[in-house]
Amino acid sequence: MGLTGTPVLVVAAALASGLFAATLLLWPRLAGRTARAVAGRTALLLSTQLALFVAAGLLANHSFLFYGSWADLLGREQELGTVTDHGAGKGASGGVVRIGTVRPDAPGAGRPASGGRIDEVVVSGRASGIGSRAYVYLPPEYFQQAHAGRTFPAVIVLTGYPGTAENLFKGLRYPRTAHERVRAGRAQPMVLVMLRPTVAPPRDTECVDVRDGPQAETFFAEDLPRAVSRTYRVGERARNWGVIGNSTGGYCALKLGLHHPERFAASAGLSAYYRAAEDPTTGDLFHGDRAARRRADLLWSLDHRPPAASSFLVTTSRQGEGNLRETREFIDRVRAPARVSSIVLDSGGHNFTTWRREIPPALEWMSGRLTAD
């Protein structure tokens, strides 16, 4: 049974309930002071508490997808880090190799022309030397004869750290939401390239080109759009590309849009922060390079970089988020010809429930700022 599946959650809940009922039933029989009675009471209490703890943990993971699999939970995730050669294979010349497909959680998902398709791929970066697994959502229109000659806009969708790419379609439901927005006439069909910002696991690179280390920014800004455009019917100009993410992915999205207006016309940061984290998970990102550290500070960059005709979306909450003050600073520092929009909830924490409230309007906003060639 999969870690995120309903069956394992049902089994855990049933076991916890059964042990609780057994404790109530057997407690009178174990009321004595003998070693056997004490051992019995101790075993019942410990096993019941352990079962309740496991059930609660599985319920939380089912809701928020902190871990995508048993291997991820146990630290045995074997996702590829640096890849230099994938050999022959479909899409290899473009830097993308399809290794499988996933059925979208959308009406008509049995047929790509009705429900779209999610390709599981490995993207090989020529400039960065990085390879990363990703999921590419192709909307139903991609497979319809009426759109056979159409080139679609694309959006890079990033998780937080240390999230898994599966979170984006299992927990945050990006493909389903995009499908619903298109059917409602509130957005245009877009290709979604879903992955986590951790392209050199387990290190959190904060989408930085680390000296003598992972060239994460180069991968996202150069390799990934180029490889996808060569493999799928996706435009190559800035007006064809956007990037969105939550938490660490939100920081990366805003940074990519700010530093690479020639590549991305729009970027959205959901619950983003605005300075690169530096902690044990990141290691030494800047090696004493003050200019590189300041460049990774988005508020500093807004004050010191020439503004470009880019669009930014930032989200926060008046209660529950810690980025309210800095989000307001970001909004105040954006200068024309750049444009900035915001979503400010009255209340909402740093979690999937909040982001699910923000994703539908964020995708509509993104759709309105990208064009198809």
Side-chain angles (χ1 to χ4, degrees):
M1 292 183 287
L3 177 63
T4 61
T6 301
V8 70
L9 182 60
V10 171
V11 170
L15 179 61
S17 300
L19 285 170
F20 180 76
T23 300
L24 294 178
L25 180 65
L26 297 175
W27 196 261
R29 302 182 186 181
L30 300 172
R33 297 184 178 181
T34 65
R36 182 176 181 180
V38 171
R41 292 197 301 270
T42 302
L44 280 174
L45 288 174
L46 289 178
S47 59
T48 301
Q49 290 179 1
L50 178 61
L52 288 171
F53 176 80
V54 170
L58 287 171
L59 178 61
N61 193 65
H62 188 269
S63 299
F64 301 111
L65 286 177
F66 298 117
Y67 299 96
S69 65
W70 294 107
D72 189 24
L73 175 65
L74 299 174
R76 297 201 299 264
E77 175 62 46
Q78 298 297 314
E79 182 173 349
L80 297 175
T82 300
V83 176
T84 56
D85 182 16
H86 288 290
K90 183 176 179 180
S93 61
V96 174
V97 177
R98 193 175 80 188
I99 58 177
T101 60
V102 178
R103 179 177 293 188
D105 177 21
R111 294 179 58 250
S114 300
R117 188 180 79 197
I118 298 176
D119 287 350
E120 183 180 2
V121 303
V122 174
V123 181
S124 176
R126 295 179 179 177
S128 65
I130 287 174
S132 181
R133 190 176 55 149
Y135 293 89
V136 180
Y137 166 69
L138 304 171
E141 291 79 6
Y142 191 92
F143 302 96
Q144 296 170 3
Q145 187 60 36
H147 302 276
R150 179 179 182 180
T151 299
F152 292 81
V155 182
I156 296 173
V157 186
L158 299 173
T159 68
Y161 177 84
T164 64
E166 290 86 349
N167 288 352
L168 295 167
F169 56 87
K170 289 183 178 180
L172 293 177
R173 308 171 190 157
Y174 269 96
R176 181 186 181 95
T177 304
H179 182 81
E180 291 171 347
R181 296 296 93 188
V182 173
R183 292 186 65 185
R186 302 182 66 90
Q188 64 175 315
M190 298 180 293
V191 171
L192 305 181
V193 185
M194 301 174 286
L195 69 167
R196 63 184 188 174
T198 314
V199 291
R203 187 178 188 181
D204 175 13
T205 60
E206 296 289 296
C207 297
V208 167
D209 279 350
V210 182
R211 189 179 70 194
D212 299 325
Q215 303 297 289
E217 184 171 345
T218 296
F219 174 79
F220 286 112
E222 297 182 26
D223 290 333
L224 184 58
R226 183 181 297 116
V228 171
S229 294
R230 290 178 177 176
T231 306
Y232 298 97
R233 298 199 318 272
V234 169
E236 298 181 353
R237 302 181 183 183
R239 68 190 187 203
N240 309 130
W241 279 89
V243 54
I244 183 173
N246 60 272
S247 191
T248 300
Y251 164 76
C252 287
L254 295 175
K255 182 169 78 169
L256 291 168
L258 179 60
H259 291 163
H260 300 277
E262 79 290 347
R263 171 57 68 190
F264 303 104
S267 55
L270 312 184
S271 302
Y273 50 87
Y274 301 93
R275 295 175 179 86
E278 295 182 72
D279 55 38
T281 68
T282 68
D284 188 353
L285 295 175
F286 304 110
H287 298 279
D289 188 336
R290 184 180 178 187
R293 178 176 283 106
R294 288 189 304 187
R295 182 178 180 275
D297 182 335
L298 306 189
L299 301 179
W300 185 93
S301 293
L302 283 172
D303 287 340
H304 293 85
R305 287 179 60 89
S310 303
S311 294
F312 302 99
L313 173 68
V314 290
T315 77
T316 187
S317 302
R318 294 183 180 89
Q319 182 177 355
E321 282 281 16
N323 71 337
L324 178 59
R325 180 182 61 81
E326 287 194 320
T327 297
R328 288 172 172 167
E329 286 186 41
F330 184 92
I331 293 170
D332 290 342
R333 296 188 190 195
V334 173
R335 294 174 291 156
R339 298 179 295 171
V340 63
S341 305
S342 67
I343 298 173
V344 182
L345 302 176
D346 288 335
S347 177
H350 199 80
N351 55 51
F352 277 33
T353 300
T354 296
W355 299 326
R356 289 192 199 108
R357 297 162 62 194
E358 297 168 342
I359 289 170
L363 287 178
E364 293 179 19
W365 175 91
M366 184 72 69
S367 170
R369 282 150 182 82
L370 303 182
T371 60
D373 290 337

